[in-house]
Amino acid sequence: MVDVTEVGDPPDWLTAAEIGMWQAFRNGSVYDLRTHDTVVDDPHGGHPWGPERTVRARILCMLLLDGPPPLSGRVSSLKLQGLQIIGVMDLAGGVVDPYVEMKGCRFEKEILLPEARFSTLRMVDCSIPRLEGARLHTEGDLHLPRCRLHNGMRLSDAHIGTDLLLNQAIVYRDRRGRSIMADGLNVGQDLQAEMMESHGELSLRGAQVGVSLSLRGSHLANPYGRRALNAPQLTVERSLYLTPASLGNTLQTGGTPARGTRIQRFECQGGLRLDDGRFGDAVDLDQARFALENDQELSLRRIQTPELRFTCERPRRGQVVLSGAKVVNLVDKSTSWPGVGGLRLGGFTYENLVPRGSFPLSRRIEWVSAATAEYNPEPYEKLATVLRTTGEDADAREVLLAKQRRRRETLPLAGKLWGYAQDWTVAYGYRPGRAAVWMAVLWAVSAFAFAHAPHPSLKGEEHPDWNAALFALDLLLPVIDLGQDGYWRMSGPWQWASTTLILLGWILATTVAAGATRMLRRG
């Protein structure tokens, strides 16, 4: 009969540190080898750790994959603090049932977790050369806060059952220039990467997040390639936050930090791509900073979200692209948008404008103009439609007038001259009151002038009484006959004056008709 007290005892060939870890695993207790000297215990520092706090990675793997049974009344788990793990920790394809938590540990070589399955995996403030976790599956959380990964990490097609935490992690690029490769990642609840540093491309192509994705206060930099964040076809069920964080507590959107609180903004040095993304609540860029090169973009092509909060700092270079995007509420600031050549809005649709701070109509027209390096009527018409929907008809007419003036710049000389005529007279039909003013002015001036003109009769005794005002009005109004024009002869300069008045009348009538047609078509 086997003595049950001997089952699960550590092998004789383990080191003292490994025996202690073995026993702590069976007991489910924390195995802590820290000296409590902050300099010595820093896993990212240069102070060497001796054999008294070093264990082999294969012993960890043995405990996790085929470890001894727990002590009676206990639950086995691996909880380590302040250990150095030498060798490759290879759990690829393995099924790990025990709870795993490592804090302040130092790994000599990479961690291999492709296609491994965990209940929950927590590594906090650890130094890790590289983490390979393609198709990793966890039932619960994957936590990597404050970890430093010196050659990047891969989580392609990984499935995280609840939360993925990367808060305050520092991730350096791999040999391909990527810091985090997480294409196809699926996170059941929140993905939090607040105040994280990414040195290389953070790739989230086709990733799905069940609740929110937070990059509050993070710093993404990729001087080695075009994009610092590459996340086309990203799906976030609630909100994407590229907003500030306070050092100590996360600064909620719209909140006011306590006095003296240090705020860290989201910064992106390199291009950002969210093309074809779907966001259930909002994309929030409040106070974000984008440092782009001339050939880089803040690309939001074809995104769909109920609310876009474009209240970031104005990018000094590069382009902001919203072509084909669809949002319900556009929350923005006049100081956030780039100038001419830095903005593209082709096919961008929105239903409501919610400006923060002063955003006069003239600046809004400049916003549209900046997005159309070459004349494109669509952004003007979309803005006019939104303004008209909210009852701002006068502003809508001003936008459409700006559209006609912009179009005029593309026309040949004859078209430009005709455009100026329409603009000066009736403002392309968007200021109909001008027609009455011009008519009144021309009528008054010509009536006064013709009152002093000689007017011999053309038909002898058969003529009406001379009336200079009616004669001027008869010349000014085309088509309409007031019974004065055909009875009097104008000669010399007066003949030229009457001819000029007829021409002005026709021009004025034509421009009024063109404006009326445009307004009817618009209605």
Side-chain angles (χ1 to χ4, degrees):
M1 183 174 179
V2 178
D3 184 356
V4 296
T5 60
E6 296 180 358
V7 175
D9 285 348
D12 296 337
W13 44 270
L14 297 184
T15 66
E18 292 168 349
I19 291 173
M21 179 177 67
W22 186 286
Q23 293 170 338
F25 175 81
R26 296 189 65 198
N27 194 42
S29 59
V30 176
Y31 188 47
D32 188 352
L33 294 183
R34 294 175 300 169
T35 65
H36 300 288
D37 182 325
T38 56
V39 175
V40 173
D41 291 336
D42 183 3
H44 315 294
H47 199 284
W49 291 357
E52 71 281 357
R53 57 190 302 181
T54 300
V55 298
R56 287 168 288 180
R58 69 184 184 92
I59 307 303
L60 267 71
C61 295
M62 184 169 62
L63 288 174
L64 293 175
L65 296 175
D66 191 22
L71 297 176
S72 179
R74 309 293 292 183
V75 177
S76 57
S77 61
L78 189 68
K79 302 175 183 176
L80 307 179
Q81 288 194 27
L83 272 70
Q84 178 171 251
I85 296 94
I86 59 173
V88 177
M89 183 173 167
D90 188 353
L91 293 167
V95 178
V96 178
D97 292 324
Y99 173 84
V100 182
E101 181 176 278
M102 304 180 190
K103 294 182 178 179
C105 293
R106 183 184 291 174
F107 289 83
E108 178 195 37
K109 294 186 178 180
E110 62 185 358
I111 299 174
L112 302 180
L113 305 177
E115 300 189 34
R117 299 182 71 92
F118 287 80
S119 54
T120 293
L121 175 59
R122 290 190 173 101
M123 290 186 284
V124 180
D125 195 24
C126 293
S127 177
I128 304 170
R130 178 171 174 81
L131 175 64
E132 284 281 355
R135 298 173 297 283
L136 169 68
H137 189 286
T138 69
E139 296 295 332
D141 298 340
L142 173 60
H143 288 189
L144 296 164
R146 301 196 303 281
C147 288
R148 292 190 187 180
L149 295 106
H150 302 280
N151 293 290
M153 63 187 295
R154 181 187 296 269
L155 291 174
S156 302
D157 300 308
H159 181 96
I160 310 303
T162 51
D163 296 333
L164 172 58
L165 265 60
L166 296 168
N167 296 340
Q168 300 179 50
I170 301 175
V171 189
Y172 297 95
R173 66 181 177 126
D174 61 14
R175 62 181 182 272
R176 295 184 178 180
R178 297 187 179 96
S179 58
I180 300 176
M181 183 67 173
D183 297 345
L185 172 69
N186 188 303
V187 180
Q189 296 184 18
D190 289 317
L191 196 170
Q192 293 189 11
E194 300 180 355
M195 293 186 284
M196 178 186 72
E197 289 184 24
S198 169
H199 300 272
E201 181 181 292
L202 169 54
S203 184
L204 290 168
R205 294 183 295 179
Q208 298 184 48
V209 180
V211 183
S212 293
L213 169 54
S214 176
L215 286 162
R216 291 185 177 100
S218 291
H219 181 191
L220 312 182
N222 184 17
Y224 321 103
R226 291 191 61 189
R227 299 184 182 96
L229 175 59
N230 187 22
Q233 298 180 332
L234 172 66
T235 299
V236 179
E237 293 299 324
R238 297 195 64 182
S239 297
L240 169 64
Y241 296 104
L242 307 181
T243 57
S246 60
L247 300 183
N249 294 304
T250 299
L251 179 64
Q252 299 297 327
T253 300
T256 302
R259 185 173 182 180
T261 302
R262 184 182 171 193
I263 301 301
Q264 182 168 304
R265 300 188 185 193
F266 171 83
E267 294 189 15
C268 184
Q269 296 181 1
L272 183 148
R273 182 186 181 203
L274 296 175
D275 298 352
D276 301 293
R278 302 293 182 268
F279 307 91
D281 285 349
V283 175
D284 194 343
L285 310 180
D286 188 41
Q287 300 183 54
R289 290 174 175 163
F290 298 97
L292 307 175
E293 298 298 329
N294 291 331
D295 62 341
Q296 294 175 339
E297 296 177 342
L298 167 53
S299 180
L300 305 175
R301 290 177 174 88
R302 299 176 299 279
I303 68 164
Q304 295 185 23
T305 180
E307 186 162 290
L308 172 61
R309 301 170 191 151
F310 200 90
T311 53
C312 57
E313 286 190 4
R314 173 184 291 142
R316 296 184 179 180
R317 288 183 288 183
Q319 283 196 333
V320 175
V321 184
L322 279 160
S323 302
K326 296 181 179 180
V327 306
V328 178
N329 298 322
L330 175 59
V331 182
D332 62 348
K333 296 167 64 176
S334 63
T335 55
S336 296
W337 297 104
V340 176
L343 180 62
R344 291 160 63 185
L345 298 177
F348 175 42
T349 61
Y350 48 95
E351 296 180 17
N352 301 300
L353 291 171
V354 188
R356 286 187 181 172
S358 175
F359 208 141
L361 181 63
S362 59
R363 295 295 298 274
R364 186 66 75 181
I365 292 174
E366 290 176 4
W367 170 66
V368 175
S369 178
T372 52
E374 297 181 357
Y375 171 68
N376 181 3
E378 181 187 8
Y380 291 94
E381 292 168 358
K382 181 60 188 176
L383 176 57
T385 299
V386 171
L387 292 172
R388 194 180 302 114
T389 301
T390 57
E392 301 177 54
D393 291 338
D395 287 349
R397 288 193 294 270
E398 287 296 321
V399 172
L400 293 173
L401 175 57
K403 180 192 77 169
Q404 293 296 332
R405 288 171 173 167
R406 183 69 185 279
R407 175 178 175 272
R408 185 175 65 207
E409 298 173 4
T410 67
L411 300 176
L413 179 59
K416 286 182 180 179
L417 293 176
W418 177 239
Y420 281 118
Q422 292 186 78
D423 196 353
W424 291 338
T425 52
V426 292
Y428 289 94
Y430 297 114
R431 294 176 185 168
R434 277 193 183 182
V437 172
W438 278 104
M439 290 288 287
V441 170
L442 288 173
W443 184 33
V445 171
S446 58
F448 177 79
F450 286 127
H452 300 83
H455 48 276
S457 173
L458 289 171
K459 299 183 179 181
E461 300 295 329
E462 298 179 7
H463 60 79
D465 294 336
W466 166 254
N467 188 314
L470 285 178
F471 180 75
L473 192 59
D474 204 357
L475 294 175
L476 188 60
L477 295 177
V479 181
I480 300 175
D481 184 5
L482 298 179
Q484 288 283 330
D485 184 19
Y487 291 92
W488 313 103
R489 181 191 303 131
M490 296 287 110
S491 59
W494 296 108
Q495 187 177 16
W496 285 104
S498 60
T499 303
T500 301
L501 191 60
I502 292 171
L503 290 175
L504 290 175
W506 274 104
I507 292 173
L508 187 60
T510 305
T511 54
V512 169
T517 302
R518 189 177 296 113
M519 293 186 72
L520 288 172
R521 189 186 306 121
R522 192 167 44 86

